[in-house]
Amino acid sequence: MRMSRYFLPVLRETPAEAQIASHRLMLRSGMIQQASAGIYSWMPLGRRVLGKLETIIHEEQAAAGHIPILMPTLQPAALWQESGRYDDYGQEMLRITDRQGRHLLYGPTNEELVTDIFRGHVKSYRNLPLTLYHIQWKFRDEIRPRFGIMRGREFLMKDGYNFDVDEASAVHAYNRHLVSYLRTYQRMGLKAIPMRADTGPIGGKLSHEFLVLADTGESELFFDSNILELGLGDSDIDYDSREACASVFDRWTQQYARTDETHDPDHFARHVPAVRQRRSRGIEVGQIFYFGTKYSEPMDACVNDASGQRVPVHMGSHGIGVSRLVGAIIEANHDDKGIVWPEPVAPFAVGVINLKPDNEEVSAVCEDLCVRLEAQGLEPLYDDTDDRAGSKFTTMDLIGLPWRLTVGPRSLAAGELELTCRRDGRTFNCAPEEAIGRLTDIYGVK
RNA sequence: CGGGGUGUGGCGCAGUCUGGUAGCGCAACGGCUUUGGGAGCCGUAGGUCGUUGGUUCGAAUCCAAUCGCCCCGACCA
């Protein structure tokens, strides 16, 4: 993408309203623009990051055998009256009346709608297990939106719902989701820690939240430092294996890890050695629930089991805060110059800076570079503008592409350009071919 | 919702207390010089001061109402 033809409205000065790094940097790098309190437009750069996150989520969901659908943002109130949540949910739910006087709501979550879809089509245990999910905009009329998209009222969420014939199957679905979420966050360059959680208005008996460590997080965390050493291993997991999923679940949940909501100070003090006790702040980026028949019973979502009995299905739901993740990733990956994107979620793989756009040789090298990068599936953002060099460097640092190729007459005289790492600043002087080779290695494309 | 702020060219702000008809920096545009880490000089353009009403000879400034936004608190992906 040529910067001269792109829409990248970066701000030189920090808008007064931005209090935390991610909000400040998202506004300055032209990723978002506020439309109203807690409601944002996503500009091209921000939209690209959302797209990267969605792609990773879809791939990991597919690996776990979950099926994508797309439900609407507006839902009929009647379904929520059926589950009993229309009155329970409170002021946080935005209620709407259409011209016919019909009562609608802008969905804060989708248990009722998906249960309605399920019950109309699935009648037998033979069609289970089934997990349906979508990535859709939600609206929760927060009392006080703040911190940019971190606590918006409108936000993009991946929400999934599993349907199983009995509790044991549903617990497997729960464990399977825990594993797939850990893999999803890992692919985004994040270390997310599962922590036992309250179930809140979703209801149910089993729930874990996923938290990313960040000083500006809204939750206070207490955990055993051993959990920071845990990995997922290098091999693929068999998601159909109850034992395999349960063992990952056990490994990740046997260490003490709680938020302030569920923290048990006595237990923490007695069972976690003092040298391993950690206290930190974190950002919640996802949550999983098992709630059994809470919705299937009142909404009559039943299947025939193996013995011919009609039984309510066991369900759980699972959410990833996609738009919030953008903020969380920035909180965990920035410095005083700007954002430092992890490669898998970067809006562009590499920035190409042309130091002399009016020099034909330099420009020819840049154009050729971009064509070849694109042929490798590595999207470049090509700064072909006639700004001064310093200004280009500063902008590129601000928007935080992980790698930068700098092309100017000085190094080109030796047949070289510069490949610079945004995170640590190390620079390689090398020929274009070698730079492309290094980048394809880094991004793991062939 | 309670408490505290705030609203002035695209962005960041001053001016409000003590009414006299709007200013600074950045950005934009033009010219010259400059050109490998946010250039310099000269010039140009852009605002009925959130909105409505009131007081006054006169309101960005005083009064009232209203709307928006931000911060602190109780709630949440």
Side-chain angles (χ1 to χ4, degrees):
Chain A
M1 174 58 66
R2 285 170 180 275
M3 213 180 260
S4 62
R5 297 183 196 168
Y6 202 44
F7 181 52
L8 186 67
V10 300
L11 304 177
R12 186 179 279 234
E13 288 169 284
T14 303
E17 71 269 18
Q19 300 295 310
I20 63 170
S22 60
H23 189 197
R24 203 162 57 231
L25 291 170
M26 288 181 78
L27 289 170
R28 285 202 54 210
S29 61
M31 292 177 68
I32 53 170
Q33 179 168 312
Q34 181 169 349
S36 178
I39 301 176
Y40 291 83
S41 296
W42 289 76
M43 313 290 255
L45 198 70
R47 203 203 71 95
R48 285 187 73 97
V49 177
L50 277 184
K52 298 277 180 180
L53 299 184
E54 289 185 62
T55 299
I56 291 172
I57 291 169
H58 280 304
E59 288 173 359
E60 290 301 321
Q61 289 298 301
H66 305 158
I67 312 297
I69 58 176
L70 184 57
M71 292 178 272
T73 54
L74 293 181
Q75 306 178 17
L79 283 176
W80 286 66
Q81 285 157 348
E82 205 178 329
S83 73
R85 281 209 293 180
Y86 192 63
D87 296 323
D88 293 349
Y89 216 93
Q91 291 298 300
E92 213 172 281
M93 184 160 73
L94 180 63
R95 294 146 208 265
I96 296 165
T97 305
D98 74 9
R99 66 199 296 169
Q100 313 287 1
R102 284 183 291 238
H103 297 293
L104 302 169
L105 55 97
Y106 195 126
T109 177
N110 284 53
E111 281 81 6
E112 283 80 359
L113 201 53
V114 77
T115 301
D116 183 55
I117 291 169
F118 175 87
R119 68 182 172 183
H121 304 285
V122 180
K123 307 293 181 190
S124 165
Y125 76 99
R126 290 174 189 278
N127 297 315
L128 302 183
L130 178 65
T131 296
L132 302 174
Y133 78 94
H134 71 346
I135 298 176
Q136 176 63 289
W137 293 92
K138 304 290 184 292
F139 194 92
R140 294 184 189 175
D141 200 357
E142 294 283 339
I143 300 169
R144 186 153 95 84
R146 64 187 123 167
F147 302 144
I149 48 88
M150 295 280 275
R151 174 166 302 293
R153 293 194 292 168
E154 189 182 49
F155 58 97
L156 188 62
M157 181 164 94
K158 173 268 168 185
D159 47 319
Y161 307 87
N162 67 283
F163 302 91
D164 286 275
V165 70
D166 55 26
E167 176 163 355
S169 309
V171 167
H172 173 235
Y174 186 89
N175 294 342
R176 190 177 68 231
H177 277 87
L178 183 128
V179 177
S180 75
Y181 275 26
L182 288 173
R183 292 176 66 100
T184 301
Y185 295 124
Q186 179 177 279
R187 279 192 58 189
M188 294 170 178
L190 289 172
K191 179 97 180 181
I193 303 174
M195 300 199 172
R196 187 187 295 184
D198 290 334
T199 52
I202 307 287
K205 39 184 149 182
L206 187 55
S207 181
H208 280 84
E209 294 177 329
F210 294 81
L211 286 116
V212 172
L213 302 185
D215 295 339
T216 45
E218 292 192 80
S219 309
E220 190 169 16
L221 315 180
F222 303 86
F223 59 95
D224 185 326
S225 61
N226 274 358
I227 205 162
L228 296 174
E229 311 303 321
L230 290 177
L232 284 170
D234 46 357
S235 57
D236 286 340
I237 187 162
D238 177 3
Y239 279 111
D240 289 331
S241 163
R242 295 190 179 191
E243 296 71 29
C245 292
S247 101
V248 175
F249 176 89
D250 289 342
R251 234 168 2 102
W252 282 79
T253 56
Q254 69 187 6
Q255 308 290 344
Y256 188 94
R258 305 276 182 90
T259 66
D260 44 354
E261 288 175 0
T262 54
H263 181 50
D264 177 347
D266 290 340
H267 186 281
F268 190 53
R270 252 181 301 123
H271 296 284
V272 181
V275 292
R276 302 210 315 254
Q277 290 179 10
R278 292 289 184 280
R279 189 177 168 155
S280 169
R281 298 199 71 81
I283 300 165
E284 186 189 343
V285 294
Q287 188 165 6
I288 55 177
F289 301 87
Y290 165 60
F291 45 70
T293 59
K294 176 179 162 75
Y295 299 92
S296 54
E297 281 194 55
M299 295 185 68
D300 195 36
C302 297
V303 295
N304 290 322
D305 68 13
S307 66
Q309 286 284 321
R310 195 159 181 276
V311 297
V313 288
H314 285 253
M315 295 174 57
S317 68
H318 335 88
I320 295 177
V322 183
S323 46
R324 171 180 287 184
L325 267 169
V326 178
I329 291 169
I330 294 172
E331 287 295 330
N333 298 280
H334 70 273
D335 60 22
D336 56 351
K337 290 188 284 192
I339 303 168
V340 185
W341 291 112
E343 276 93 358
V345 299
F348 292 93
V350 55
V352 176
I353 289 187
N354 183 341
L355 290 173
K356 288 267 186 243
D358 55 358
N359 177 311
E360 281 182 27
E361 190 191 354
V362 172
S363 295
V365 169
C366 287
E367 311 260 339
D368 183 54
L369 256 180
C370 289
V371 168
R372 291 160 66 188
L373 285 165
E374 265 158 18
Q376 298 288 333
L378 294 171
E379 302 149 307
L381 179 62
Y382 173 32
D383 191 342
D384 61 338
T385 63
D386 51 12
D387 282 347
R388 303 171 67 81
S391 167
K392 292 184 178 184
F393 289 133
T394 306
T395 298
M396 206 56 94
D397 287 343
L398 173 64
I399 67 177
L401 305 184
W403 296 91
R404 187 183 81 207
L405 288 167
T406 309
V407 185
R410 198 175 292 176
S411 50
L412 202 57
E416 291 185 332
L417 43 70
E418 289 153 36
L419 175 63
T420 304
C421 175
R422 172 66 178 86
R423 192 171 292 276
D424 58 21
R426 68 186 196 279
T427 294
F428 308 93
N429 291 291
C430 54
E433 297 72 31
E434 188 186 342
I436 292 171
R438 281 178 184 265
L439 286 168
T440 54
D441 287 346
I442 289 160
Y443 280 95
V445 295
K446 48 179 180 116

